[in-house]
Amino acid sequence: MSQTSPPPLTSLLRSYDHVLLDLDGCLWVGGAATRDAPRALDALRAAGKHVAFVTNDTRSTAEEYVRKLWSLGFKAALEEVVTVGGALQHQLAERHGARRATAYVIGTPAILKHVADAGLRVVNGTPHAPQAEVVVAAGHDALVFEELRIATQALLAGADFVAAGRDRTFPMPDGMWPATGALVAALEYASGRTALSVGKPEPEIFATALDRLGPGRALVVGDRLDSDLGGAHAAGLDGAIVLTGATTHSEAHAASDPAPVAIAPDLATLVLG
């Protein structure tokens, strides 16, 4: 019985060895895959392209992202997922883990685990929280004023300030929701301090993905000009923009420093034409 041949890739995608894919706004919006995105990913794999999923989303662990990818029809392996939580853990371990610094963490349970695994002592829920030596900020859906108050007090007392990223928003089915960058902006304004950001557009998270993929020419695909396209540029990589998330048609076509190598309505169009 003959097998159906995989669909051919566009000439753009044929010229790359690796594809680094954003998640929110690129592969999915909320709980639904973007149009034909699973088929596009299958075509990349069938053509021998190596894939990594690189995300600034702080709400889940790498294992949870793998489960979500499979549930939406995407084939994925754990080693292909590069999260900002992992980058955050690496940064904190290098800077603060050896001395077992205390940390006040705004974020999901996944982020709290990354901070603890970095060797820091999480003091959330204790009287010592306003005197924490490090404040870690990552957006989450249950944010309350008390978290802002404690983090501000710790920062004003001299705590180091580390953020999981600066994305202003992320796309959901009912429109854009505030992301980690909105939280970080509030804390920076309240404290007069500037956070060290470890997520996109910082180049380290892309370098982590490329270390796993090996040598070859890589394309970054995402929906944001600031974090995806800007991060690709900072890492010395080409970037393409899809219009299923944060960036409008006019914004994408106006981008010039850097300019995307391609703009497409969605991932399937970019990959398959």
Side-chain angles (χ1 to χ4, degrees):
M1 186 174 181
S2 62
Q3 293 184 339
T4 303
S5 300
L9 304 185
T10 58
S11 58
L12 175 74
L13 269 297
R14 288 198 299 271
S15 66
Y16 293 94
D17 305 294
H18 311 311
V19 184
L20 279 55
L21 295 165
D22 181 43
L23 295 180
D24 274 317
C26 179
L27 265 65
W28 63 60
V29 174
T34 59
R35 184 194 69 88
D36 275 349
R39 189 166 72 97
L41 181 61
D42 287 345
L44 288 171
R45 295 192 188 282
K49 308 302 179 183
H50 301 114
V51 173
F53 307 100
V54 184
T55 179
N56 265 5
D57 190 339
T58 61
R59 292 170 294 170
S60 303
T61 64
E63 291 83 358
E64 289 167 337
Y65 286 123
V66 170
R67 288 196 290 271
K68 182 172 181 177
L69 284 159
W70 278 94
S71 75
L72 295 179
F74 300 101
K75 297 179 178 68
L78 184 60
E79 60 270 17
E80 294 175 325
V81 179
V82 183
T83 70
V84 70
L88 187 68
Q89 180 177 327
H90 178 76
Q91 179 69 236
L92 291 170
E94 283 201 336
R95 293 170 63 93
H96 304 287
R99 61 187 181 88
R100 295 280 293 161
T102 56
Y104 181 71
V105 184
I106 300 177
T108 61
I111 293 296
L112 267 74
K113 184 177 187 303
H114 279 299
V115 176
D117 287 349
L120 283 73
R121 291 173 290 146
V122 177
V123 293
N124 290 35
T126 76
H128 306 292
Q131 291 83 44
E133 298 170 287
V134 184
V135 168
V136 179
H140 69 109
D141 297 346
L143 180 69
V144 296
F145 179 80
E146 181 79 352
E147 293 175 283
L148 296 176
R149 178 186 66 79
I150 294 171
T152 298
Q153 290 174 337
L155 290 169
L156 289 172
D160 284 351
F161 190 7
V162 184
R166 292 189 177 275
D167 287 356
R168 293 181 176 90
T169 57
F170 65 93
M172 290 294 281
D174 62 349
M176 304 304 292
W177 286 21
T180 292
L183 162 65
V184 173
L187 292 175
E188 288 182 332
Y189 187 74
S191 66
R193 304 283 301 284
T194 300
L196 170 68
S197 176
V198 302
K200 296 182 287 185
E202 302 305 318
E204 287 79 11
I205 193 167
F206 296 103
T208 298
L210 292 175
D211 283 345
R212 299 182 187 182
L213 294 173
R217 190 165 181 244
L219 175 68
V220 175
V221 182
D223 69 306
R224 297 193 66 94
L225 297 176
D226 49 2
S227 57
D228 296 316
L229 186 60
H233 181 70
L237 305 173
D238 290 343
I241 289 293
V242 293
L243 303 179
T244 41
T247 301
T248 66
H249 180 276
S250 59
E251 290 169 340
H253 284 272
S256 60
D257 188 22
V261 297
I263 301 166
D266 51 36
L267 181 65
T269 304
L270 181 75
V271 171
L272 303 172

